[in-house]
Each structure stands twice: as structure tokens, then as C-alpha cells.
Amino acid sequence: MTRREPLNREKVLDAALALAAEEGLKGLSMRKLAKTLGVEAMALYNHVQNKTDILDGIAERVYRGIERADPGSPWPERVRVTVLNTYRALAEHPVVPMALATDEANPNSLQALLPLDDLIGALYEAGFGDDGVRQTLGALNSLVFGSLLLTTVGFTKARKGEAEREQDEQFLRRIDPAILPNFSRAIPALQAHDPEPDFIRALDLLISGLVSAAASAPGTA
């Protein structure tokens, strides 16, 4: 008989991340996770408290994997690298931004907060005050999470089944260019959505605005 390796928290989180990637947040349950691992559901509680603890653990793991920017680089580059690496880490595991956006996960370990601390430090260095830092973080987070969530709906959805494509085609056939000339013109571009290049373009535009705002902020030269 093959001896089963002992279960631990990391193995539980590995299996949970794979299960959530396959079945989504709603498909992740203690019962299904236990079945995937070949154990009774009660055995999981030796390593995780509940589903919330699992989602927190998954999110913290993703945030720990974010590559940090060179602290010696100029502040705009640090903002760009930190935000782009955050986007890429979350895009690799779409279930995580969904859990964060729906408040089902809240990674709050010190290590998970390091990228955020780097970002705040860069903004303070730029000359933004407390209110400016808060507002700028809101804009950057909106860009990251808005871009990620948009890849799950509408024309920009990353992966579609046959039924969804047919639904889109039926919708598009009802569009009258005489009534919606601008939307009709933009449809090909909307369908040609390329998530990461589009995100990078939007991020660069936002950072350009931050550089201009920082130059005129009180206390800057």
C-alpha cells in the first residue's frame, strides 16, 4: 500500500488554489477540497479554520510572490513596477482578485503588505500628502481590479464558451449603427481587447498624470 504523505497547510492551499481555478469561488468548499485531497473534511480543520482562512491564505501566497521594485529606482518606476507586478500576479490567479473584490479574502500578513508599503513609500517620496496618497492608491487599485474584473465580462472576457460567443453574436446583430454610431464603430476595437498591453498603456497614462500632479504638489520643488 502506498503511504500517503502527511497533510499540511501548504498542501491544502495548493489544492484549494487549483480547485478554485477550475470551479471558481462558489465551487470551492471544504467538502470538495477534502475529496480532492483524498481525506475527510474534518481533517482539513487541523490546518485551516474555514473557507475564509483558505481564501486569505491563497491571497497572501499570491501577494508574497509579487516581485518588488528596486528601491533605488526613481519613484515613478517603482510605482510602475509594483503595480504591474501586482496585476500580473493577480491575473495569473483570477480567483484571488475576485475574492478580494467581494471581500471574501483579506491578506493582512506583514509580508503580504510589503508591496503596498513600497507603493506608499514611492508616493510619499513623490511629494504627495496623506490625502494625496490615499486618493492615488484608490486610482491605482481601481485600475488593477477594474482591468482584471473586466476580463471576466462582456466583450473583454478572456475565455468564452460556444454559448457565450453565440450570445454575443446575437446581441451584435441587434446593434443599429444609425442609433448607436459611436458604439458600432468601437465594436471591433472592443473585441480586439488585449488585457496586459491595454493595462500597461492605461498605467503609463495614469503615472504620467501622477508625475504632473507631484510636480505641482505643495512642498515639491
Side-chain angles (χ1 to χ4, degrees):
M1 180 180 296
T2 303
R3 183 177 179 181
R4 179 185 299 157
E5 291 191 16
L7 199 60
N8 57 41
R9 182 177 175 84
E10 291 306 307
K11 289 181 180 178
V12 172
L13 294 179
D14 283 341
L17 190 56
L19 180 60
E22 182 177 343
E23 301 198 18
L25 285 178
K26 292 182 179 179
L28 176 61
S29 68
M30 301 297 277
R31 180 182 59 80
K32 287 185 178 180
L33 181 57
K35 184 178 180 180
T36 298
L37 289 164
V39 299
E40 295 295 328
M42 290 302 297
L44 298 179
Y45 292 97
N46 294 320
H47 310 284
V48 293
Q49 297 177 14
N50 46 38
K51 181 177 176 178
T52 298
D53 186 29
I54 290 173
L55 291 174
D56 284 347
I58 289 173
E60 288 184 8
R61 174 183 288 187
V62 171
Y63 271 85
R64 288 200 308 267
I66 295 172
E67 185 177 350
R68 298 171 68 186
D70 178 359
S73 60
W75 74 262
E77 180 63 15
R78 300 207 307 275
V79 169
R80 187 180 194 275
V81 169
T82 301
V83 174
L84 180 55
N85 287 347
T86 299
Y87 170 85
R88 286 172 171 165
L90 293 174
E92 190 174 348
H93 303 286
V95 68
V96 173
M98 187 64 70
L100 293 169
T102 55
D103 205 27
E104 294 185 65
N106 182 27
N108 53 20
S109 71
L110 295 180
Q111 192 171 10
L113 293 173
L114 287 174
L116 177 61
D117 191 71
D118 292 344
L119 189 56
I120 292 173
L123 295 175
Y124 276 132
E125 182 182 314
F128 291 103
D130 294 342
D131 288 343
V133 168
R134 184 192 70 249
Q135 293 159 357
T136 302
L137 284 177
L140 292 168
N141 278 324
S142 295
L143 178 60
V144 171
F145 285 93
S147 297
L148 290 168
L149 294 178
L150 280 173
T151 62
T152 68
V153 297
F155 292 117
T156 58
K157 186 170 182 179
R159 293 178 294 276
K160 293 189 178 186
E162 185 63 33
E164 290 174 303
R165 287 193 293 270
E166 176 60 27
Q167 189 175 31
D168 280 354
E169 290 173 3
Q170 290 178 5
F171 170 73
L172 292 174
R173 284 195 290 269
R174 297 200 303 270
I175 299 298
D176 185 348
I179 299 174
L180 299 171
N182 300 312
F183 182 68
S184 298
R185 176 182 175 182
I187 285 175
L190 294 173
Q191 292 177 310
H193 174 66
D194 194 352
E196 184 168 310
D198 287 356
F199 175 82
I200 291 173
R201 172 60 175 161
L203 176 59
D204 287 341
L205 288 173
L206 180 51
I207 290 175
S208 293
L210 293 179
V211 171
S212 296
S216 60
T220 58

